[in-house]
Amino acid sequence: SLILKNHWFKNFQLPWNGIIQSWKIGLLGHEEYNITVGLSEAVVATIGWILVPLAFLKLRISYAVFYILGILMFTSTGFILSGPRYLLSLTPFFILLGKELKSKSIILIWSLISITLLIILIYLYSIGHWAF
């Protein structure tokens, strides 16, 4: 816990504190980190919490509980870091995505956003920036 606090500024906070901090970094922070440390963390955490009610409506209760505990775990810190990576480890997120992405136009939009983000992150990584 002390190592996380000293090196990655991680300490237990209520989930909305870390999300608000991520939005501040994303909108007002240093331009080198506003996308990777700010906006991506803020968007993923916000979407993660928005999908919680849907998880309880569309998934088995055990998957929904697993999903909410995962979201709670990675957002209950004053400084959210690697949120997109943590969301990728939550299997119920992909089950929920599979149940909701039925329209070909929505699948196309999702694919275009994913490919665009992949290209941006590859570019950032290739020029030596941190890209998760």
Side-chain angles (χ1 to χ4, degrees):
S1 173
L2 188 59
I3 292 172
L4 288 172
K5 185 176 182 179
N6 290 338
H7 296 282
W8 290 284
F9 314 105
K10 295 273 207 180
N11 59 343
F12 179 75
Q13 297 271 332
L14 295 170
W16 53 85
N17 292 340
I19 296 169
I20 291 169
Q21 181 65 23
S22 292
W23 279 110
K24 286 180 183 176
I25 291 169
L27 299 174
L28 307 171
H30 189 274
E31 69 181 52
E32 181 179 340
Y33 297 111
N34 63 350
I35 293 174
T36 55
V37 176
L39 287 178
S40 63
E41 309 292 348
V43 168
V44 165
T46 303
I47 289 173
W49 276 105
I50 287 171
L51 293 178
V52 165
L54 193 59
F56 279 96
L57 291 173
K58 300 284 184 168
L59 301 176
R60 291 184 355 197
I61 190 72
S62 58
Y63 288 162
V65 169
F66 181 81
Y67 178 76
I68 194 171
L69 290 175
I71 296 292
L72 186 64
M73 188 165 70
F74 86 77
T75 60
S76 293
T77 178
F79 180 60
I80 299 173
L81 191 59
S82 299
R85 186 175 61 190
Y86 295 139
L87 186 64
L88 290 174
S89 69
L90 294 176
T91 306
F93 172 72
F94 291 101
I95 297 170
L96 190 58
L97 220 57
K99 288 180 179 263
E100 293 304 307
L101 295 180
K102 303 234 186 221
S103 163
K104 287 188 180 195
S105 59
I106 293 176
I107 292 172
L108 178 64
I109 292 168
W110 179 268
S111 298
L112 289 174
I113 290 170
S114 297
I115 291 168
T116 303
L117 290 173
L118 175 65
I119 291 168
I120 291 169
L121 291 173
I122 287 171
Y123 171 73
L124 289 173
Y125 181 77
S126 70
I127 63 171
H129 291 283
W130 182 65
F132 301 101

